[in-house]
Amino acid sequence: MSEQPLEVVLALGGGAARGLAHIGILRVLEEQGVVVRGIAGTSIGAIAGGLYAAGKLDFFESYIRKLDAKGMLRLLDPVLPRAGLIGGNRVVSRLQEFLGAIEVQELQTPFCAIATHLETGNEVVLSSGNLVNAIRASFAIPGVFTPVQIDGEWLVDGGVSTPVPIRAARALCPGLPVIAVNLSNIDNVFAEEPADSVKKASKPQTEAEREIGRIERLLKRMSGDRGKRPSLLTSISDSVLHMEHRISRFQIAADEPELLLEPSVFGVGLFDFHRATPIITAGAKCANEAVASGALKRLIAK
C-alpha cells in the first residue's frame, strides 16, 4: 500500500448467513490499511456494517465463531401463523447486548441500513434513529421475519429492493470509491472443509433443551425433502436467493462500483450462522484475491 491510505465507502449486500463473509472481507481491508469512511448495508450487510461502524465487530465475531447449531436455534422465536415464521425478538435482544441504545447518527463512521417499503416496494434508507431498529427492519426477510413498523410505515428486508446498496453508499461519501460486496452470485459455490467428526445430539433433558428440540423438529419439517415437493422454508430461501441474484446483476451494472467482491458462499443456508468460521474464511479469501490481483492498488491509482 502507498503512504497515503486508501479511503473507501462500502456497500455490503444481503444474504442471511452468507453475510458472515463480510467479516472476513473487513478484516483483510483492515490488514491492508484501507480506511472505511462510510458503510451502507442491506440485511446481514446492515448487521455487519452497523457493528463495524459502532466498533463492536470484534465482540460479535468472537460470539458468532463460538455459536453452534443449538445456539442458533435459541435465537429463533417461531410465531406461526403470523406475518413471518420468526419474530426476531431474540435476535434483537442479542444485538442490543452488543450495541445498546446508540442512534445511527451518533456513529463515528457514517452508516445507513437499507429496508423496503412493504406497500410500494421502494427502497428506504435508514440513516437516523435507533441503530438496532434500523438493522431489524433491514433484515426482515419476507415470510421469514415479521415486518417492522418505523414512523408508521411497514418495512421489510432491503434485499427486496436493493440487494447491494451501491447508490446509498455513494450518497454517504460522495467522491470516494465504492467497494461493493455481492453475496448472491450463484456461480460462486461455497466449499467447506468436512468436519472431522459429527456428534449426535443427546436427548433433551432441560426445559431449554426441549424447546430447542421443538424448534429443530419444526425447521426439519419445513426443510422437507428436495427430491419431492419443495417445502416452505426451501421455497422461501431459494426464491429470495434467485430474486436477489437477478436484481443485484442489474443494480451492479447500472451503478458500477469501483471494486466488486463476490465471495464463494452460494449454498450457505439462511440460518447457517453456526458455520461462521468457514464462511468468514470465504470472505477473507475473496478479499485476499483482490489484493493479489492488484485491484486495491488500482483503486489508489484512480
Side-chain angles (χ1 to χ4, degrees):
M1 303 293 290
S2 71
E3 294 181 2
Q4 186 69 24
L6 172 62
E7 298 183 344
V8 302
V9 57
L10 303 180
L12 303 183
R18 300 193 303 276
L20 294 179
H22 289 316
I23 298 174
I25 289 171
L26 286 164
R27 295 310 186 201
V28 172
L29 294 180
E30 287 178 335
E31 292 168 2
Q32 295 298 313
V34 175
V35 178
V36 177
R37 292 301 186 193
I39 304 174
T42 291
S43 198
I44 184 64
I47 295 178
L51 287 160
Y52 187 85
K56 302 294 184 180
L57 190 64
D58 289 350
F59 299 103
F60 177 74
E61 182 178 358
S62 177
Y63 161 75
I64 205 70
R65 283 184 181 272
K66 297 174 184 175
L67 189 70
D68 58 14
K70 286 189 174 182
M72 181 60 224
L73 287 170
R74 288 188 183 97
L75 292 175
L76 305 180
D77 47 347
V79 293
L80 285 173
R82 289 172 57 190
L85 299 176
I86 309 298
N89 292 331
R90 297 177 188 174
V91 177
V92 166
S93 294
R94 183 64 67 180
L95 286 172
Q96 287 172 336
E97 290 179 21
F98 291 116
L99 296 169
I102 190 169
E103 301 280 302
V104 175
Q105 61 271 25
E106 295 173 350
L107 297 170
Q108 291 187 349
T109 300
F111 169 79
C112 65
I114 307 302
T116 301
H117 194 287
L118 184 57
E119 183 177 348
T120 66
N122 292 334
E123 172 188 282
V124 177
V125 179
L126 300 170
S127 56
S128 63
N130 181 269
L131 176 59
V132 172
N133 288 346
I135 291 172
R136 172 64 180 86
S138 187
F139 72 71
I141 303 172
V144 177
F145 288 100
T146 53
V148 175
Q149 191 175 44
I150 295 181
D151 295 332
E153 305 292 345
W154 287 103
L155 306 178
V156 294
D157 189 281
V160 174
S161 59
T162 314
V164 187
I166 302 167
R167 196 168 300 177
R170 286 201 195 284
L172 272 181
C173 302
L176 290 184
V178 174
I179 297 180
V181 182
N182 175 34
L183 305 169
S184 303
N185 189 331
I186 61 176
D187 295 322
N188 293 355
V189 179
F190 179 65
E192 181 180 2
E193 291 295 325
D196 294 332
S197 61
V198 178
K199 298 180 180 179
K200 293 184 178 179
S202 59
K203 187 177 180 179
Q205 297 294 325
T206 67
E207 182 63 32
E209 288 173 332
R210 285 195 292 272
E211 173 69 6
I212 293 169
R214 185 180 72 82
I215 298 173
E216 192 171 25
R217 289 190 297 274
L218 171 64
L219 292 177
K220 188 173 182 180
R221 287 198 300 272
M222 289 190 297
S223 294
D225 183 351
R226 284 186 178 270
K228 300 178 181 178
R229 178 183 296 177
S231 68
L232 175 60
L233 192 63
T234 298
S235 297
I236 292 173
S237 176
D238 290 357
S239 296
V240 169
L241 173 59
H242 292 307
M243 175 193 71
E244 289 181 340
H245 172 66
R246 283 165 171 75
I247 296 175
S248 64
R249 290 292 96 190
F250 285 110
Q251 290 184 334
I252 290 167
D255 297 329
E256 295 184 338
E258 279 66 35
L259 176 60
L260 175 64
L261 301 178
E262 296 184 309
S264 297
V265 289
F266 175 69
V268 173
L270 283 178
F271 299 130
D272 282 353
F273 289 91
H274 57 286
R275 302 165 74 185
T277 295
I279 301 172
I280 293 171
T281 299
K285 180 181 178 182
C286 175
N288 279 319
E289 288 172 351
V291 173
S293 70
L296 286 182
K297 288 185 178 180
R298 288 194 290 273
L299 279 187
I300 295 174
K302 290 180 181 180

